[in-house]
Amino acid sequence: MNKEKQTKANKYFKRFFWAVFLFYLLILIKIVLLKDTDLSAVPKFLTGEKKGFRSFNLIPFQTFLNFSRIAGSGNFLWSISNLLGNSLIFLPFGYLLALLKSPKISKRKILFLSALLSLFFETSQYVFYLGSADIDDLLLNVLGAAAGILCFHILTALCRKDLHRIYLISLILGLLSFAGAGAIAYVEFGSRLGLVHYKSSVIGGEDIPKKEPDYTGYFMSGSDRKLRCTSDTDEAFGDPSVINITPETKVFHLSFEKEKTSFHQINTVYKRYSLSQLKSVKKHSKVSAWFAKNGRNADIIVLSDPVNTDSESVKADGASVEKKELNGTVISIGKETFVISKINTYDDKKNGGQIAESTGIHITVKYKKDLKVTVCDAYNQGTKTSYRKGSLKDLKKDRSVLLKGTVKDKIFYAESVTVYIFHK
């Protein structure tokens, strides 16, 4: 290609990439400001007629600490993806401006513009109740823009400053990145972004009664004649029960399985179990039972995968002492004692995330005056949190708590408590 044609092609490339940049800004607005909001609802947010959640954090690196705690609790990939996501969404901003900039625009000015845009997003989220304003998000966004500038300069060096070649490779990389990002957005965030809706169908559930089960609990042991169950995964608080089985009893295993031909369909599958398989059922599997008319024998039993428990055993002073973590909601407060309604949390294998399930079990908690109290301020449905030292005055009715301590005769002796305060 001669120099004149190459110069003309470069002009078209530049116009094309400016159009790409404007389209990218629209996508950025949707991802950052309107990720949980329909476009039709935007005017209501702007006028204040409708309000979502908002919070702000001006303490640098607080988000990093929170995500490190979450990563330490077993959600490593989720934490890393959230941190990287805030950087990667601004990488094209730095790259495209470096590609399109005039000689008068320096790297510092591009970083300054990325900081201004991020500040606009964070301020808008707080002012219009669209999410959380966080200094760490701004830092990550600017870091992403810096990474984009670095990528452009690496490509420039590899192409020996040949602008036409830079445009061509940028076009190819852009198409590949757009296809990859689009696929990830569709599969992982399609429902949240309003691109798709999850579908579900029931397979093999024809014999399952429509009414609520007569009994729900957790499997301890079993045979083809009876199941021994408990009302809670923690045997220290659960009440034991026995479910009688007859040859006519139908047993099913419940699971949630992704449809192989669709990323956004999760099927509820009931598989028939033989009575002989009851000997191999895993401890703490969830049990739902419907009884026959005489109320003694089970007519239908549904088993599902076991849930995780929060207790652990440690050694202290040579004796085995069972240290436990206990979640619940405060229902009454007395002198150096209070009562909670126990809550079990476990992974939601159907929709992802976690489920908090009320057990209906009331537990008396005793403590000493030197009880260590920590307050967790939670914003945006708990996705943003900050911790601070608390006092016994923070223990109030209807607040969620996380207790650490020991159990004796179904009484919980608290050594520390985290009080969760949810802010709108």
Side-chain angles (χ1 to χ4, degrees):
M1 184 183 292
N2 60 46
K3 194 171 183 179
E4 184 179 346
K5 288 184 178 180
Q6 196 174 79
T7 302
K8 189 175 181 181
N10 287 347
K11 287 183 180 180
Y12 287 120
F13 268 129
K14 193 167 187 176
R15 292 174 186 173
F16 170 77
F17 279 110
W18 271 116
V20 169
F21 181 71
L22 294 175
F23 178 70
Y24 159 75
L25 290 179
L26 293 175
I27 297 296
L28 203 58
I29 291 171
K30 172 60 179 173
I31 292 174
V32 178
L33 291 182
L34 306 176
K35 56 182 175 292
D36 297 314
T37 305
D38 292 329
L39 291 176
S40 59
V42 171
K44 294 182 179 180
F45 278 99
L46 295 177
T47 59
E49 183 181 346
K50 187 175 181 179
K51 293 182 179 181
F53 294 95
R54 74 174 184 180
S55 67
F56 69 93
N57 170 47
L58 298 178
I59 304 174
F61 309 115
Q62 184 67 41
T63 300
F64 296 91
L65 293 174
N66 291 337
F67 278 123
S68 67
R69 292 192 190 98
I70 295 172
S73 66
N75 293 307
F76 179 78
L77 291 177
W78 184 87
S79 302
I80 294 299
S81 64
N82 274 270
L83 287 174
L84 287 179
N86 277 319
S87 294
L88 291 178
I89 59 172
F90 262 71
L91 189 148
F93 185 90
Y95 184 91
L96 288 170
L97 279 187
L99 176 67
L100 298 167
K101 72 180 179 66
S102 67
K104 296 180 180 180
I105 301 179
S106 64
K107 301 172 191 175
R108 289 183 180 180
K109 285 184 178 179
I110 294 175
L111 292 178
F112 179 70
L113 289 173
S114 70
L116 278 182
L117 180 61
S118 180
L119 182 61
F120 166 75
F121 284 151
E122 298 303 309
T123 304
S124 298
Q125 287 183 93
Y126 184 78
V127 172
F128 299 112
Y129 290 82
L130 292 169
S132 302
D134 196 324
I135 185 68
D136 288 334
D137 287 348
L138 190 150
L139 294 175
L140 287 166
N141 293 160
V142 174
L143 187 63
I149 296 172
L150 178 62
C151 289
F152 172 76
H153 283 285
I154 291 174
L155 179 62
T156 300
L158 292 174
C159 293
R160 299 179 181 180
K161 297 183 179 181
D162 184 334
L163 185 59
H164 188 71
R165 186 179 296 177
I166 292 170
Y167 277 139
L168 282 174
I169 295 177
S170 296
L171 177 62
I172 295 170
L173 291 176
L175 290 173
L176 292 174
S177 300
F178 183 77
I184 293 172
Y186 180 81
V187 174
E188 298 294 335
F189 308 107
S191 179
R192 190 175 183 184
L193 294 173
L195 301 175
V196 294
H197 298 283
Y198 275 99
K199 299 178 182 178
S200 179
S201 60
V202 179
I203 300 173
E206 297 81 4
D207 293 326
I208 308 302
K210 302 297 181 185
K211 66 175 184 176
E212 290 294 314
D214 299 310
Y215 173 84
T216 55
Y218 300 91
F219 180 87
M220 298 302 294
S221 63
S223 66
D224 56 0
R225 294 185 178 182
K226 61 180 64 177
L227 297 185
R228 299 186 187 278
C229 305
T230 179
S231 59
D232 191 72
T233 53
D234 193 332
E235 297 168 51
F237 303 112
D239 295 320
S241 298
V242 174
I243 299 176
N244 293 320
I245 296 173
T246 68
E248 288 74 32
T249 301
K250 294 180 180 179
V251 181
F252 297 88
H253 179 265
L254 169 64
S255 62
F256 300 101
E257 301 176 4
K258 286 188 176 181
E259 181 67 39
K260 294 180 180 179
T261 57
S262 173
F263 289 112
H264 297 99
Q265 179 160 338
I266 300 177
N267 297 324
T268 302
V269 181
Y270 292 92
K271 294 180 181 178
R272 184 71 183 269
Y273 262 26
S274 65
L275 297 183
S276 61
Q277 288 179 281
L278 292 174
K279 296 179 181 179
S280 59
V281 173
K282 294 180 180 179
K283 189 176 181 180
H284 292 153
S285 292
K286 193 169 183 180
V287 179
S288 299
W290 290 261
F291 295 115
K293 292 182 180 180
N294 59 23
R296 295 180 181 178
N297 302 322
D299 196 12
I300 301 288
I301 294 175
V302 174
L303 303 165
S304 54
D305 290 335
V307 298
N308 296 324
T309 59
D310 296 324
S311 63
E312 58 179 3
S313 295
V314 298
K315 295 286 184 179
D317 300 327
S320 179
V321 178
E322 194 172 17
K323 295 280 187 178
K324 291 184 177 293
E325 288 188 353
L326 187 65
N327 289 286
T329 303
V330 178
I331 57 176
S332 66
I333 301 175
K335 185 178 180 180
E336 296 188 6
T337 184
F338 57 94
V339 179
I340 67 166
S341 177
K342 187 174 185 293
I343 292 174
N344 287 339
T345 58
Y346 55 92
D347 294 334
D348 182 1
K349 296 186 178 182
K350 180 178 181 181
N351 301 309
Q354 283 197 324
I355 288 179
E357 183 180 65
S358 177
T359 63
I361 298 174
H362 293 176
I363 299 171
T364 299
V365 180
K366 293 187 177 182
Y367 62 91
K368 295 180 180 179
K369 291 182 179 179
D370 60 351
L371 176 69
K372 181 182 177 182
V373 180
T374 302
V375 172
C376 174
D377 292 298
Y379 305 90
N380 196 16
Q381 295 179 306
T383 57
K384 299 283 185 179
T385 57
S386 61
Y387 291 83
R388 57 185 170 89
K389 185 178 180 180
S391 68
L392 292 173
K393 292 181 180 179
D394 294 305
L395 269 175
K396 294 183 179 180
K397 187 178 179 181
D398 296 328
R399 282 188 174 171
S400 298
V401 293
L402 170 62
L403 303 165
K404 293 183 179 181
T406 57
V407 179
K408 185 178 181 181
D409 298 329
K410 294 193 176 184
I411 295 177
F412 194 90
Y413 294 88
E415 297 173 359
S416 66
V417 57
T418 301
V419 181
Y420 292 88
I421 302 177
F422 291 90
H423 302 270
K424 293 184 178 180

